Amino acid sequence: MIKVEHLTKEFKVKLFKKITAVNDTSFTVNDGEVVGLLGPNGAGKTTMMRLLATMLTPTHGTAYVDEYDVHTHAREVRRRIGILPETWGLYERFTPREHLRMFGEYYDMEKDSIENRIEELTSTLGMGEFVDRECKRFSRGMSQKVALARTLIHSPQNLLLDEPTNGLDVMSARLVRKLIAQLREEKRCVMISTHILGEAERLCDRLILIDNGTVVAQGTPKELCEQARKATLEDAFVTILGRDDVEVVL
Amino acid sequence: MFNSRIFSIVRKEFVQLFRDPRTLALAVVIPIVQLFLLGYAATSDVRNISMAVWDQNKSPQSRQLLDAFRAADYFVIDHFVGSTEEYQKLIESGSARVALVIPPDYDRAVLQGNAQVLMVLDGSDASIGSTALSTARLVGQSFATKILAEQASINGRSALTPPVEVRTQVWYNPDLDSAYFMIPGVIGMILSFITTILTATAIVRERERGTIEQLIVTPIRSWELILGKLLPYVILAFVETFEIIIVGHFWFGVPVRGSLALIVFTSGLFLMSSLGIGLLASTIANTQQEAMLTVMMYNLPSLFLSGFFFPLEAMPQALQVVSYAIPLRYYLVVIRALLLKGVGLEAIQSEVIALAIFGIVIMTAAALRFRKRLD
């Protein structure tokens, strides 16, 4: 479970100038729930993900992952979380198998469990053809699959997925959506950051709309449409944000 | 202390290093290239000074004088000329560095005991000029003494001996071969340059390529990450040290008189400073270029103010004071003393203490600055 309480993150941009990327934000994502973090570019989605993944230190407020404070108990949080970042961060001279083995070791997994998990993920994500090839010339889709497998290697209870179907072809995207549904069935806590409304609507139980670092609305897609008195999620999104200059991908 | 996470990071670093031919070449080949460059090219030994001769006498006596210059092993008689203009042109063009002018009545003057020859020197290169000057004077004095002894012998008198004779003994490097001085210095330079550059760029590269984010979100502790990232470069640095010692010993004949254990121990202390500087640079720089420039800002002054090229005693007082803040200064004293003089710990203890203090302070400062966070 992820619980965010009055979380604020400020960045110093010049000597006396600060920008607030996340501003006094609170929400909860329960186990067995898939929640979409929606917002236009620059809304603070990636900063939120990074705060929850302990990559950044909160300026004020805090967040809890399975009741562990992201600031004071970062190591416990890291054991319980898996993040798929926007940039894959792959070592181009390593094969997917080497990546997965290495990260399994970082998470203190037993050798046999690592090997079994690699076989499982290779099969689930359809990586059999390239699991022993260096990542150097991988396509976007292949890289995305490796990054996703690495996120899942230690079977984390909580998952933060930034644009999980980004760059994937139709079949692979479908595979990932199926995987997310499976994670929900396994009662895992899944948070997806996306700006693709169609995907959010299809995948998520609940949506959190974020703009200028603040939560502006949250609820099921149906609740958001009712709240904005609009028939489609796209119209509801634009109405709630109160402007029509945002990028919307259906 | 050494757990599987650290082992995994160390293995990852080695795999990356061995699969990246450019970095591997930088790490393994560059030390040898620098060793040969500095062992041969950056020599302060002035030999084979090109000499022009205007022998206006062409007598057995003048030929004896030329033989004396040849035998000194510092001069090579490349040009025989017939006028002032000719040797002037040769010196102007750099074809000759010195010119020896033997007057027409030289043989007669030698018999009368008042012969004079002229030595013209190109002073534009001070090191060659001063060596040529002192060598020419010595050759002249020695040759004059020899003639006096011969004349005394012809006249049936006992040979004259000078009232004072300075007998010299050169310890540790009898031939005053500058490679003996340079090669231990190369070890210090490599340990400083390659280690700081590789350490700083290895960490910054992770940030540039976004791989650091994934390392941050694993349960690896900060110190484990630091240790895992630095250990491969410690091993590599020792490989390079022995590479230089072996090539230096077998190719250049540089002796290894001190204890190898002491060399490893003191090199380890010095490495702490270099690794710390690399780590510190990685906390400041955002890109690999920035990291390189940051470590160069440390390495270049280190090189010039450590006594690597120029003796510290010859520097202005203010720069000598600054040099106390440079770890390489102490390491060069240590490694030269260990290799060339074969001293024990007691002879270099103050330098060893200084290296330990620098190592601990720099490494602690770097480790405290290094955070497993993006902000």
Side-chain angles (χ1 to χ4, degrees), chain B residues 330-361:
Chain B
Y330 305 98
Y331 183 68
L332 289 185
V333 173
V334 167
I335 194 74
R336 281 173 178 154
L338 285 175
L339 288 179
L340 305 181
K341 299 179 185 172
V343 297
L345 189 59
E346 64 287 346
I348 47 169
Q349 59 185 355
S350 50
E351 282 82 8
V352 171
I353 291 168
L355 283 176
I357 292 171
F358 272 108
I360 292 166
V361 169

PDB file of all heavy atoms in Angstrom, chain B residues 330-361:
ATOM      1  N   TYR B 330      54.098  13.812  -1.596  1.00  0.00           N
ATOM      2  CA  TYR B 330      54.585  12.868  -0.601  1.00  0.00           C
ATOM      3  C   TYR B 330      54.816  11.488  -1.228  1.00  0.00           C
ATOM      4  O   TYR B 330      55.776  10.799  -0.925  1.00  0.00           O
ATOM      5  CB  TYR B 330      53.589  12.743   0.567  1.00  0.00           C
ATOM      6  CG  TYR B 330      53.282  14.085   1.185  1.00  0.00           C
ATOM      7  CD1 TYR B 330      52.135  14.785   0.831  1.00  0.00           C
ATOM      8  CD2 TYR B 330      54.167  14.674   2.085  1.00  0.00           C
ATOM      9  CE1 TYR B 330      51.873  16.027   1.361  1.00  0.00           C
ATOM     10  CE2 TYR B 330      53.906  15.924   2.624  1.00  0.00           C
ATOM     11  CZ  TYR B 330      52.758  16.602   2.257  1.00  0.00           C
ATOM     12  OH  TYR B 330      52.506  17.827   2.771  1.00  0.00           O
ATOM     13  N   TYR B 331      53.896  11.117  -2.131  1.00  0.00           N
ATOM     14  CA  TYR B 331      54.011   9.790  -2.731  1.00  0.00           C
ATOM     15  C   TYR B 331      55.266   9.686  -3.591  1.00  0.00           C
ATOM     16  O   TYR B 331      55.928   8.641  -3.616  1.00  0.00           O
ATOM     17  CB  TYR B 331      52.759   9.461  -3.551  1.00  0.00           C
ATOM     18  CG  TYR B 331      52.819   8.067  -4.133  1.00  0.00           C
ATOM     19  CD1 TYR B 331      52.752   6.952  -3.308  1.00  0.00           C
ATOM     20  CD2 TYR B 331      52.988   7.872  -5.499  1.00  0.00           C
ATOM     21  CE1 TYR B 331      52.833   5.670  -3.825  1.00  0.00           C
ATOM     22  CE2 TYR B 331      53.072   6.596  -6.025  1.00  0.00           C
ATOM     23  CZ  TYR B 331      53.000   5.496  -5.190  1.00  0.00           C
ATOM     24  OH  TYR B 331      53.091   4.234  -5.704  1.00  0.00           O
ATOM     25  N   LEU B 332      55.600  10.773  -4.296  1.00  0.00           N
ATOM     26  CA  LEU B 332      56.800  10.719  -5.144  1.00  0.00           C
ATOM     27  C   LEU B 332      58.059  10.516  -4.306  1.00  0.00           C
ATOM     28  O   LEU B 332      58.956   9.772  -4.699  1.00  0.00           O
ATOM     29  CB  LEU B 332      56.907  11.990  -5.991  1.00  0.00           C
ATOM     30  CG  LEU B 332      55.889  12.144  -7.117  1.00  0.00           C
ATOM     31  CD1 LEU B 332      56.183  13.382  -7.948  1.00  0.00           C
ATOM     32  CD2 LEU B 332      55.856  10.915  -8.023  1.00  0.00           C
ATOM     33  N   VAL B 333      58.106  11.182  -3.155  1.00  0.00           N
ATOM     34  CA  VAL B 333      59.253  10.999  -2.260  1.00  0.00           C
ATOM     35  C   VAL B 333      59.310   9.527  -1.830  1.00  0.00           C
ATOM     36  O   VAL B 333      60.367   8.890  -1.860  1.00  0.00           O
ATOM     37  CB  VAL B 333      59.118  11.917  -1.020  1.00  0.00           C
ATOM     38  CG1 VAL B 333      60.210  11.607  -0.002  1.00  0.00           C
ATOM     39  CG2 VAL B 333      59.170  13.374  -1.433  1.00  0.00           C
ATOM     40  N   VAL B 334      58.132   8.987  -1.478  1.00  0.00           N
ATOM     41  CA  VAL B 334      58.050   7.621  -0.967  1.00  0.00           C
ATOM     42  C   VAL B 334      58.452   6.608  -2.039  1.00  0.00           C
ATOM     43  O   VAL B 334      59.317   5.753  -1.812  1.00  0.00           O
ATOM     44  CB  VAL B 334      56.608   7.335  -0.464  1.00  0.00           C
ATOM     45  CG1 VAL B 334      56.394   5.849  -0.228  1.00  0.00           C
ATOM     46  CG2 VAL B 334      56.322   8.109   0.812  1.00  0.00           C
ATOM     47  N   ILE B 335      57.856   6.710  -3.212  1.00  0.00           N
ATOM     48  CA  ILE B 335      58.082   5.678  -4.240  1.00  0.00           C
ATOM     49  C   ILE B 335      59.510   5.752  -4.785  1.00  0.00           C
ATOM     50  O   ILE B 335      60.122   4.721  -5.056  1.00  0.00           O
ATOM     51  CB  ILE B 335      57.001   5.748  -5.368  1.00  0.00           C
ATOM     52  CG1 ILE B 335      57.022   4.496  -6.229  1.00  0.00           C
ATOM     53  CG2 ILE B 335      57.111   6.980  -6.231  1.00  0.00           C
ATOM     54  CD1 ILE B 335      56.444   3.281  -5.581  1.00  0.00           C
ATOM     55  N   ARG B 336      60.060   6.968  -4.892  1.00  0.00           N
ATOM     56  CA  ARG B 336      61.453   7.087  -5.361  1.00  0.00           C
ATOM     57  C   ARG B 336      62.399   6.511  -4.305  1.00  0.00           C
ATOM     58  O   ARG B 336      63.351   5.809  -4.640  1.00  0.00           O
ATOM     59  CB  ARG B 336      61.787   8.551  -5.657  1.00  0.00           C
ATOM     60  CG  ARG B 336      61.239   8.992  -7.000  1.00  0.00           C
ATOM     61  CD  ARG B 336      61.396  10.477  -7.254  1.00  0.00           C
ATOM     62  NE  ARG B 336      60.885  10.820  -8.590  1.00  0.00           N
ATOM     63  CZ  ARG B 336      60.429  12.015  -8.911  1.00  0.00           C
ATOM     64  NH1 ARG B 336      60.410  12.995  -8.041  1.00  0.00           N
ATOM     65  NH2 ARG B 336      59.988  12.245 -10.141  1.00  0.00           N
ATOM     66  N   ALA B 337      62.088   6.799  -3.048  1.00  0.00           N
ATOM     67  CA  ALA B 337      62.947   6.287  -1.971  1.00  0.00           C
ATOM     68  C   ALA B 337      62.857   4.767  -1.900  1.00  0.00           C
ATOM     69  O   ALA B 337      63.870   4.087  -1.700  1.00  0.00           O
ATOM     70  CB  ALA B 337      62.544   6.901  -0.646  1.00  0.00           C
ATOM     71  N   LEU B 338      61.665   4.225  -2.082  1.00  0.00           N
ATOM     72  CA  LEU B 338      61.492   2.773  -1.980  1.00  0.00           C
ATOM     73  C   LEU B 338      62.157   2.046  -3.147  1.00  0.00           C
ATOM     74  O   LEU B 338      62.840   1.045  -2.964  1.00  0.00           O
ATOM     75  CB  LEU B 338      60.005   2.407  -1.930  1.00  0.00           C
ATOM     76  CG  LEU B 338      59.298   2.686  -0.601  1.00  0.00           C
ATOM     77  CD1 LEU B 338      57.813   2.396  -0.714  1.00  0.00           C
ATOM     78  CD2 LEU B 338      59.904   1.850   0.518  1.00  0.00           C
ATOM     79  N   LEU B 339      61.963   2.557  -4.347  1.00  0.00           N
ATOM     80  CA  LEU B 339      62.518   1.866  -5.516  1.00  0.00           C
ATOM     81  C   LEU B 339      64.029   2.070  -5.625  1.00  0.00           C
ATOM     82  O   LEU B 339      64.762   1.117  -5.849  1.00  0.00           O
ATOM     83  CB  LEU B 339      61.841   2.356  -6.799  1.00  0.00           C
ATOM     84  CG  LEU B 339      60.401   1.909  -7.037  1.00  0.00           C
ATOM     85  CD1 LEU B 339      59.874   2.495  -8.328  1.00  0.00           C
ATOM     86  CD2 LEU B 339      60.282   0.395  -7.096  1.00  0.00           C
ATOM     87  N   LEU B 340      64.479   3.302  -5.503  1.00  0.00           N
ATOM     88  CA  LEU B 340      65.882   3.602  -5.796  1.00  0.00           C
ATOM     89  C   LEU B 340      66.799   3.411  -4.595  1.00  0.00           C
ATOM     90  O   LEU B 340      67.941   2.985  -4.739  1.00  0.00           O
ATOM     91  CB  LEU B 340      66.027   5.031  -6.331  1.00  0.00           C
ATOM     92  CG  LEU B 340      65.171   5.396  -7.557  1.00  0.00           C
ATOM     93  CD1 LEU B 340      65.432   6.818  -7.986  1.00  0.00           C
ATOM     94  CD2 LEU B 340      65.451   4.454  -8.715  1.00  0.00           C
ATOM     95  N   LYS B 341      66.300   3.791  -3.398  1.00  0.00           N
ATOM     96  CA  LYS B 341      67.198   3.743  -2.232  1.00  0.00           C
ATOM     97  C   LYS B 341      66.973   2.503  -1.379  1.00  0.00           C
ATOM     98  O   LYS B 341      67.812   2.181  -0.544  1.00  0.00           O
ATOM     99  CB  LYS B 341      66.987   4.993  -1.376  1.00  0.00           C
ATOM    100  CG  LYS B 341      67.288   6.298  -2.106  1.00  0.00           C
ATOM    101  CD  LYS B 341      67.031   7.482  -1.191  1.00  0.00           C
ATOM    102  CE  LYS B 341      67.210   8.785  -1.937  1.00  0.00           C
ATOM    103  NZ  LYS B 341      66.799   9.931  -1.135  1.00  0.00           N
ATOM    104  N   GLY B 342      65.796   1.886  -1.542  1.00  0.00           N
ATOM    105  CA  GLY B 342      65.503   0.691  -0.749  1.00  0.00           C
ATOM    106  C   GLY B 342      65.357   0.977   0.733  1.00  0.00           C
ATOM    107  O   GLY B 342      65.731   0.157   1.568  1.00  0.00           O
ATOM    108  N   VAL B 343      64.826   2.142   1.059  1.00  0.00           N
ATOM    109  CA  VAL B 343      64.717   2.521   2.479  1.00  0.00           C
ATOM    110  C   VAL B 343      63.602   1.726   3.173  1.00  0.00           C
ATOM    111  O   VAL B 343      62.744   1.125   2.529  1.00  0.00           O
ATOM    112  CB  VAL B 343      64.421   4.028   2.628  1.00  0.00           C
ATOM    113  CG1 VAL B 343      65.546   4.864   2.069  1.00  0.00           C
ATOM    114  CG2 VAL B 343      63.091   4.387   1.959  1.00  0.00           C
ATOM    115  N   GLY B 344      63.591   1.794   4.488  1.00  0.00           N
ATOM    116  CA  GLY B 344      62.517   1.180   5.280  1.00  0.00           C
ATOM    117  C   GLY B 344      61.499   2.234   5.667  1.00  0.00           C
ATOM    118  O   GLY B 344      61.640   3.414   5.308  1.00  0.00           O
ATOM    119  N   LEU B 345      60.511   1.805   6.431  1.00  0.00           N
ATOM    120  CA  LEU B 345      59.410   2.706   6.803  1.00  0.00           C
ATOM    121  C   LEU B 345      59.901   3.916   7.599  1.00  0.00           C
ATOM    122  O   LEU B 345      59.384   5.034   7.436  1.00  0.00           O
ATOM    123  CB  LEU B 345      58.368   1.914   7.603  1.00  0.00           C
ATOM    124  CG  LEU B 345      57.050   2.605   7.894  1.00  0.00           C
ATOM    125  CD1 LEU B 345      56.328   3.026   6.618  1.00  0.00           C
ATOM    126  CD2 LEU B 345      56.128   1.687   8.702  1.00  0.00           C
ATOM    127  N   GLU B 346      60.930   3.714   8.438  1.00  0.00           N
ATOM    128  CA  GLU B 346      61.367   4.804   9.317  1.00  0.00           C
ATOM    129  C   GLU B 346      61.878   6.005   8.516  1.00  0.00           C
ATOM    130  O   GLU B 346      61.731   7.150   8.945  1.00  0.00           O
ATOM    131  CB  GLU B 346      62.394   4.317  10.356  1.00  0.00           C
ATOM    132  CG  GLU B 346      63.730   3.811   9.826  1.00  0.00           C
ATOM    133  CD  GLU B 346      63.640   2.436   9.145  1.00  0.00           C
ATOM    134  OE1 GLU B 346      62.617   1.735   9.297  1.00  0.00           O
ATOM    135  OE2 GLU B 346      64.587   2.070   8.431  1.00  0.00           O
ATOM    136  N   ALA B 347      62.451   5.761   7.347  1.00  0.00           N
ATOM    137  CA  ALA B 347      63.019   6.859   6.555  1.00  0.00           C
ATOM    138  C   ALA B 347      61.939   7.701   5.885  1.00  0.00           C
ATOM    139  O   ALA B 347      62.178   8.847   5.493  1.00  0.00           O
ATOM    140  CB  ALA B 347      63.971   6.297   5.502  1.00  0.00           C
ATOM    141  N   ILE B 348      60.756   7.135   5.729  1.00  0.00           N
ATOM    142  CA  ILE B 348      59.704   7.851   4.985  1.00  0.00           C
ATOM    143  C   ILE B 348      58.453   8.030   5.846  1.00  0.00           C
ATOM    144  O   ILE B 348      57.371   8.292   5.341  1.00  0.00           O
ATOM    145  CB  ILE B 348      59.339   7.078   3.681  1.00  0.00           C
ATOM    146  CG1 ILE B 348      59.131   5.583   3.975  1.00  0.00           C
ATOM    147  CG2 ILE B 348      60.355   7.304   2.592  1.00  0.00           C
ATOM    148  CD1 ILE B 348      58.535   4.794   2.837  1.00  0.00           C
ATOM    149  N   GLN B 349      58.609   7.914   7.166  1.00  0.00           N
ATOM    150  CA  GLN B 349      57.401   7.880   8.000  1.00  0.00           C
ATOM    151  C   GLN B 349      56.591   9.163   7.948  1.00  0.00           C
ATOM    152  O   GLN B 349      55.365   9.124   7.959  1.00  0.00           O
ATOM    153  CB  GLN B 349      57.739   7.496   9.440  1.00  0.00           C
ATOM    154  CG  GLN B 349      58.703   8.412  10.118  1.00  0.00           C
ATOM    155  CD  GLN B 349      59.062   7.873  11.508  1.00  0.00           C
ATOM    156  OE1 GLN B 349      58.515   6.893  11.959  1.00  0.00           O
ATOM    157  NE2 GLN B 349      59.996   8.538  12.160  1.00  0.00           N
ATOM    158  N   SER B 350      57.257  10.321   7.854  1.00  0.00           N
ATOM    159  CA  SER B 350      56.459  11.566   7.852  1.00  0.00           C
ATOM    160  C   SER B 350      55.623  11.649   6.569  1.00  0.00           C
ATOM    161  O   SER B 350      54.459  12.070   6.597  1.00  0.00           O
ATOM    162  CB  SER B 350      57.342  12.791   8.018  1.00  0.00           C
ATOM    163  OG  SER B 350      58.390  12.731   7.108  1.00  0.00           O
ATOM    164  N   GLU B 351      56.181  11.213   5.437  1.00  0.00           N
ATOM    165  CA  GLU B 351      55.427  11.219   4.176  1.00  0.00           C
ATOM    166  C   GLU B 351      54.266  10.219   4.240  1.00  0.00           C
ATOM    167  O   GLU B 351      53.184  10.485   3.747  1.00  0.00           O
ATOM    168  CB  GLU B 351      56.327  10.864   2.986  1.00  0.00           C
ATOM    169  CG  GLU B 351      57.225  11.983   2.501  1.00  0.00           C
ATOM    170  CD  GLU B 351      58.484  12.117   3.333  1.00  0.00           C
ATOM    171  OE1 GLU B 351      58.736  11.244   4.191  1.00  0.00           O
ATOM    172  OE2 GLU B 351      59.212  13.115   3.127  1.00  0.00           O
ATOM    173  N   VAL B 352      54.539   9.056   4.847  1.00  0.00           N
ATOM    174  CA  VAL B 352      53.494   8.025   4.953  1.00  0.00           C
ATOM    175  C   VAL B 352      52.340   8.535   5.826  1.00  0.00           C
ATOM    176  O   VAL B 352      51.159   8.363   5.488  1.00  0.00           O
ATOM    177  CB  VAL B 352      54.082   6.702   5.503  1.00  0.00           C
ATOM    178  CG1 VAL B 352      52.989   5.701   5.819  1.00  0.00           C
ATOM    179  CG2 VAL B 352      55.049   6.112   4.484  1.00  0.00           C
ATOM    180  N   ILE B 353      52.690   9.232   6.918  1.00  0.00           N
ATOM    181  CA  ILE B 353      51.640   9.788   7.786  1.00  0.00           C
ATOM    182  C   ILE B 353      50.829  10.828   7.007  1.00  0.00           C
ATOM    183  O   ILE B 353      49.596  10.847   7.057  1.00  0.00           O
ATOM    184  CB  ILE B 353      52.257  10.398   9.074  1.00  0.00           C
ATOM    185  CG1 ILE B 353      52.819   9.266   9.944  1.00  0.00           C
ATOM    186  CG2 ILE B 353      51.235  11.228   9.852  1.00  0.00           C
ATOM    187  CD1 ILE B 353      53.695   9.720  11.094  1.00  0.00           C
ATOM    188  N   ALA B 354      51.531  11.666   6.248  1.00  0.00           N
ATOM    189  CA  ALA B 354      50.835  12.699   5.452  1.00  0.00           C
ATOM    190  C   ALA B 354      49.886  12.037   4.448  1.00  0.00           C
ATOM    191  O   ALA B 354      48.734  12.460   4.296  1.00  0.00           O
ATOM    192  CB  ALA B 354      51.846  13.574   4.728  1.00  0.00           C
ATOM    193  N   LEU B 355      50.355  10.965   3.792  1.00  0.00           N
ATOM    194  CA  LEU B 355      49.507  10.262   2.811  1.00  0.00           C
ATOM    195  C   LEU B 355      48.268   9.671   3.481  1.00  0.00           C
ATOM    196  O   LEU B 355      47.160   9.727   2.940  1.00  0.00           O
ATOM    197  CB  LEU B 355      50.291   9.139   2.130  1.00  0.00           C
ATOM    198  CG  LEU B 355      51.275   9.546   1.037  1.00  0.00           C
ATOM    199  CD1 LEU B 355      52.026   8.324   0.539  1.00  0.00           C
ATOM    200  CD2 LEU B 355      50.562  10.220  -0.123  1.00  0.00           C
ATOM    201  N   ALA B 356      48.477   9.114   4.681  1.00  0.00           N
ATOM    202  CA  ALA B 356      47.346   8.508   5.405  1.00  0.00           C
ATOM    203  C   ALA B 356      46.325   9.583   5.766  1.00  0.00           C
ATOM    204  O   ALA B 356      45.113   9.383   5.588  1.00  0.00           O
ATOM    205  CB  ALA B 356      47.854   7.799   6.648  1.00  0.00           C
ATOM    206  N   ILE B 357      46.812  10.730   6.247  1.00  0.00           N
ATOM    207  CA  ILE B 357      45.884  11.810   6.639  1.00  0.00           C
ATOM    208  C   ILE B 357      45.111  12.301   5.413  1.00  0.00           C
ATOM    209  O   ILE B 357      43.882  12.419   5.433  1.00  0.00           O
ATOM    210  CB  ILE B 357      46.656  12.967   7.319  1.00  0.00           C
ATOM    211  CG1 ILE B 357      47.202  12.481   8.669  1.00  0.00           C
ATOM    212  CG2 ILE B 357      45.762  14.198   7.512  1.00  0.00           C
ATOM    213  CD1 ILE B 357      48.167  13.437   9.345  1.00  0.00           C
ATOM    214  N   PHE B 358      45.839  12.565   4.329  1.00  0.00           N
ATOM    215  CA  PHE B 358      45.159  13.035   3.099  1.00  0.00           C
ATOM    216  C   PHE B 358      44.122  12.011   2.634  1.00  0.00           C
ATOM    217  O   PHE B 358      43.004  12.357   2.291  1.00  0.00           O
ATOM    218  CB  PHE B 358      46.173  13.291   1.984  1.00  0.00           C
ATOM    219  CG  PHE B 358      46.739  14.670   2.012  1.00  0.00           C
ATOM    220  CD1 PHE B 358      48.042  14.900   2.407  1.00  0.00           C
ATOM    221  CD2 PHE B 358      45.964  15.762   1.656  1.00  0.00           C
ATOM    222  CE1 PHE B 358      48.570  16.181   2.449  1.00  0.00           C
ATOM    223  CE2 PHE B 358      46.484  17.042   1.684  1.00  0.00           C
ATOM    224  CZ  PHE B 358      47.796  17.251   2.083  1.00  0.00           C
ATOM    225  N   GLY B 359      44.531  10.741   2.610  1.00  0.00           N
ATOM    226  CA  GLY B 359      43.646   9.674   2.135  1.00  0.00           C
ATOM    227  C   GLY B 359      42.362   9.625   2.942  1.00  0.00           C
ATOM    228  O   GLY B 359      41.256   9.613   2.387  1.00  0.00           O
ATOM    229  N   ILE B 360      42.509   9.636   4.273  1.00  0.00           N
ATOM    230  CA  ILE B 360      41.334   9.517   5.138  1.00  0.00           C
ATOM    231  C   ILE B 360      40.435  10.752   4.991  1.00  0.00           C
ATOM    232  O   ILE B 360      39.218  10.636   4.843  1.00  0.00           O
ATOM    233  CB  ILE B 360      41.769   9.289   6.615  1.00  0.00           C
ATOM    234  CG1 ILE B 360      42.412   7.905   6.738  1.00  0.00           C
ATOM    235  CG2 ILE B 360      40.594   9.436   7.572  1.00  0.00           C
ATOM    236  CD1 ILE B 360      43.171   7.668   8.022  1.00  0.00           C
ATOM    237  N   VAL B 361      41.047  11.935   5.000  1.00  0.00           N
ATOM    238  CA  VAL B 361      40.243  13.175   4.938  1.00  0.00           C
ATOM    239  C   VAL B 361      39.500  13.274   3.601  1.00  0.00           C
ATOM    240  O   VAL B 361      38.283  13.500   3.565  1.00  0.00           O
ATOM    241  CB  VAL B 361      41.153  14.418   5.160  1.00  0.00           C
ATOM    242  CG1 VAL B 361      40.401  15.703   4.843  1.00  0.00           C
ATOM    243  CG2 VAL B 361      41.651  14.437   6.598  1.00  0.00           C
TER     244      VAL B 361
END
